[in-house]
Amino acid sequence: MLARPGLPDFEYIKAETFQDVFTYMKEKGDDLKLLMGGTDLFVQMRDRGEGPSFLLDVKGLPGMQEISFDRKNGLKVGAAVTLNALASHPNLLNYYGVLCQSADTVGNYQLRNLATLGGNICNASPSADMSPAALIYDGKVVVESPRGERELKLEEFWVGPGKTALEKDEFLKRIHFPTPPEKAAGVYHKLGRSKMGDLAIVGVAVLGYPDLSAPAGIQFRIGINSTAPTAYRLPTVEDFLAQNLISDETLHKSAEMAMDISAPIEDQRATAIYQKKMVRNLVYKGLNDVREILK
Ligand SMILES: Cc1cc2nc3c(=O)[nH]c(=O)nc-3n(C[C@H](O)[C@H](O)[C@H](O)COP(=O)(O)OP(=O)(O)OC[C@H]3O[C@@H](n4cnc5c(N)ncnc54)[C@H](O)[C@@H]3O)c2cc1C
């Protein structure tokens, strides 16, 4: 094994086939971690001073770096697609703009050449920047195991900070986003300590689209990070918006509701009360921006 400054020793293995993954996962158990860009994993290994003895690189598996889109089936993103590849894809810019905006807020350009969408999702950090956008586009993860594929909603996939619903023999293969409703428009507002790639103190993604079946004539979706054990949608606020005429008063009331639902904990980046107030401000700002775009 090679010595790596600041990192515990590990052995690097490159998986060529799905079967390789199943075999190594079974053989090495908890002493093995899957590796994509390593931008979360290496930091965690360095900080803990201990880690798995084996890192299994799954980036090169079939389909892991592919992006495909058609209007009928929506968007399929291989788990190992990097955030830069994602943000520069033409269909993404046209149909899933909030995913691109969110990717652009992660760290810096160099980091985003390594950091993957799948890694961001599997790391299950409550403050992950891709989570709010992934939620408002109704993202689902497709996981693979010796039993075949299964699909889970993101709300089922994230079960707590750093914890996912993956079984021991499963890994993330791709993420699926249905085609957004016609004329959908959205924004991602992130508050960090600095503009230089800091984690989110609060991040709010809002998507809006015309819907004549709703009393408001418009439907909103809201996704939030950093203010609960996992990123979350706000179905009660979304329903309230759909049922009421969209006025300044409705938007302010919705932002207050969002603030009341949020449940941040005090950490080194912000107090809980500050985060709650920023949820209110960013939800209002996001809703108002989308309302203006849709006018
Ligand atoms: C300087 C710096 C700044 C950063 N800034 C931000 C930021 O602003 N916003 C933000 O959201 N994040 C930020 N991050 C965190 C990180 O870059 C992202 O979360 C990134 O998207 C992780 O992707 P990755 O490919 O590097 O994942 P990896 O580190 O390779 O993997 C992450 C986790 O997922 C597991 N895993 C990997 N592949 C699979 C798979 N196929 N199936 C199941 N599990 C798997 C790994 O074992 C690991 O536990 C930052 C990190 C650094 C170092």
Side-chain angles (χ1 to χ4, degrees):
M1 292 198 198
L2 293 173
R4 291 167 178 81
L7 276 179
D9 278 351
F10 63 87
E11 191 172 313
Y12 170 89
I13 312 168
K14 187 163 173 55
E16 308 286 351
T17 64
F18 292 167
Q19 190 52 50
D20 283 350
V21 184
F22 306 144
T23 306
Y24 281 116
M25 287 207 292
K26 190 164 179 203
E27 207 175 279
K28 312 292 185 198
D30 289 343
D31 209 15
L32 175 139
K33 277 277 205 180
L34 301 183
L35 171 73
M36 297 223 271
T39 63
D40 274 317
L41 189 53
F42 285 134
V43 173
Q44 288 157 8
M45 287 169 66
R46 182 200 62 192
D47 289 352
R48 287 180 195 146
E50 56 173 22
S53 308
F54 301 93
L55 295 187
L56 182 63
D57 185 341
V58 292
K59 289 193 293 292
L61 292 173
M64 291 286 272
Q65 302 196 24
E66 281 173 21
I67 303 181
S68 71
F69 171 77
D70 64 72
R71 283 194 57 81
K72 184 160 170 270
N73 298 305
L75 177 70
K76 291 177 183 167
V77 184
V81 168
T82 66
L83 297 182
N84 276 346
L86 188 72
S88 60
H89 195 278
N91 283 323
L92 269 283
L93 292 167
N94 290 338
Y95 292 97
Y96 303 88
V98 189
L99 280 177
C100 301
Q101 277 180 39
S102 305
D104 276 340
T105 73
V106 174
N108 53 53
Y109 188 84
Q110 289 84 346
L111 180 101
R112 297 194 293 270
N113 273 339
L114 287 172
T116 63
L117 178 63
N120 197 270
I121 288 175
C122 287
N123 196 50
S125 164
S127 62
D129 276 306
M130 299 310 293
S131 307
L135 284 170
I136 60 169
Y137 288 119
D138 277 341
K140 294 188 184 65
V141 292
V142 179
V143 306
E144 182 76 31
S145 77
R147 297 171 298 287
E149 272 185 15
R150 71 176 176 124
E151 199 175 79
L152 289 92
K153 288 177 164 182
L154 284 168
E155 289 94 326
E156 300 163 334
F157 186 69
W158 294 312
V159 294
K163 292 199 170 56
T164 68
L166 281 173
E167 302 286 343
K168 277 188 181 305
D169 58 356
E170 287 180 325
F171 70 94
L172 177 63
K173 200 159 87 170
R174 64 174 179 274
I175 304 101
H176 179 214
F177 300 100
T179 307
E182 285 287 316
K183 300 194 172 131
V187 292
Y188 179 54
H189 290 308
K190 169 179 177 176
L191 175 72
R193 283 175 304 185
S194 80
K195 290 203 184 301
M196 297 296 291
D198 195 18
L199 292 175
I201 291 171
V202 177
V204 174
V206 176
L207 191 78
Y209 53 94
D211 180 355
L212 295 179
S213 70
I218 182 170
Q219 293 267 9
F220 286 100
R221 298 179 191 167
I222 307 168
I224 304 190
N225 64 18
S226 276
T227 48
T230 66
Y232 55 100
R233 282 270 296 267
L234 286 173
T236 48
V237 182
E238 294 172 13
D239 284 348
F240 172 77
L241 281 157
Q243 298 305 323
N244 289 279
L245 280 183
I246 301 301
S247 62
D248 258 353
E249 197 190 343
T250 313
L251 300 195
H252 279 298
K253 168 88 176 121
S254 304
E256 295 281 339
M257 288 167 74
M259 177 173 77
D260 291 343
I261 293 166
S262 68
I265 49 166
E266 208 97 359
D267 63 19
Q268 73 275 24
R269 282 176 295 134
T271 60
I273 187 67
Y274 177 69
Q275 279 176 290
K276 281 182 95 64
K277 289 185 174 173
M278 290 305 110
V279 166
R280 179 194 62 197
N281 292 3
L282 294 187
V283 167
Y284 176 79
K285 187 170 159 57
L287 291 171
N288 196 37
D289 288 350
V290 172
R291 171 174 66 161
E292 289 299 317
I293 300 169
L294 291 177
K295 260 184 188 168

